[in-house]
Amino acid sequence: GESVGLHLPTLSVQEGDNSIINCAYSNSASDYFIWYKQESGKGPQFIIDIRSNMDKRQGQRVTVLLNKTVKHLSLQIAATQPGDSAVYFCAENISRQGGKLIFGQGTELSVKP
Amino acid sequence: EPEVTQTPSHQVTQMGQEVILRCVPISNHLYFYWYRQILGQKVEFLVSFYNNEISEKSEIFDDQFSVERPDGSNFTLKIRSTKLEDSAMYFCASRDRGVGNYGYTFGSGTRLTVV
């Protein structure tokens, strides 16, 4: 069943370390995935996306990995900085069905200086 | 950089009252969305809007909810008779067509508190 608790998974890392945030998506028909960063009191902010015909995509300091076999996404942040502290959500989309995004639960990243 | 603007940032209302949440999407975007986020939980899709009509809505979006694009710039979400469980952050989003990440842009949200 769906979790309705108030506690997000938390990842705590030291500044300069690499972070890996994981996400299990729900629908095997999803073909487009986005990672969002959400800071307190703000809306989701786009980080990086990937289509299902890829298994890896790199951006500036971030990499997204997609494993369709087990319906798993990960976000890797290199050289994590205090400004990376936020809640990170993955979102999935079935592109032929329109732009609705289905969000995952979210992970709170805390970066210690 | 273009922004999606939402007003007010915080709205407190009494149970049973009507509220209207306002959004100004990015001007050349074609698709508009409302999402909500109950405190500590994930962001949930409410409704999508294209070509002046609803294209998809979730189970949450019942008869108490309505959306409107009254002019060329505003996109509103109305809750006709608010309930305590409507308390949440409400995010408006808009996107263009065919852009890599769909150009999906979220506003900063309106925090709705129903008392």
Side-chain angles (χ1 to χ4, degrees), chain A residues 2-8 32 34 36 38 41-44 46 49 51 89 93-95 97-106, chain B residues 31 33 35 37-45 48 56-58 89 91 95 98-109 111:
Chain A
E2 200 171 288
S3 169
V4 290
L6 293 178
H7 301 287
L8 292 171
Y32 179 65
I34 309 175
Y36 284 97
Q38 187 180 28
K42 295 185 178 179
F46 172 86
D49 59 355
R51 298 195 179 276
F89 292 94
N93 169 257
I94 303 173
S95 56
Q97 292 184 2
K100 177 179 79 174
L101 296 177
I102 304 298
F103 282 80
Q105 184 184 12
Chain B
Y31 300 83
Y33 305 86
Y35 289 80
Q37 185 179 30
I38 294 171
L39 182 64
Q41 298 189 25
K42 59 185 179 182
V43 178
E44 301 173 288
F45 168 79
S48 58
E56 188 174 0
K57 59 184 180 180
S58 72
M89 282 289 286
F91 294 106
R95 72 174 177 97
V99 180
N101 66 327
Y102 293 111
Y104 235 109
T105 304
F106 283 83
S108 293
R111 179 172 297 284

Side-chain angles (χ1 to χ4, degrees), chain A residues 59-110:
Chain A
Q60 187 179 13
R61 274 203 311 121
V62 293
T63 301
V64 55
L65 299 177
L66 173 63
N67 185 331
K68 295 183 287 294
T69 303
V70 294
K71 294 192 290 186
H72 184 267
L73 271 173
S74 68
L75 176 69
Q76 300 177 2
I77 305 174
T80 315
Q81 302 166 0
D84 295 327
S85 294
V87 177
Y88 290 81
F89 292 94
C90 67
E92 60 188 291
N93 169 257
I94 303 173
S95 56
R96 68 179 182 279
Q97 292 184 2
K100 177 179 79 174
L101 296 177
I102 304 298
F103 282 80
Q105 184 184 12
T107 296
E108 182 171 7
L109 176 65
S110 175

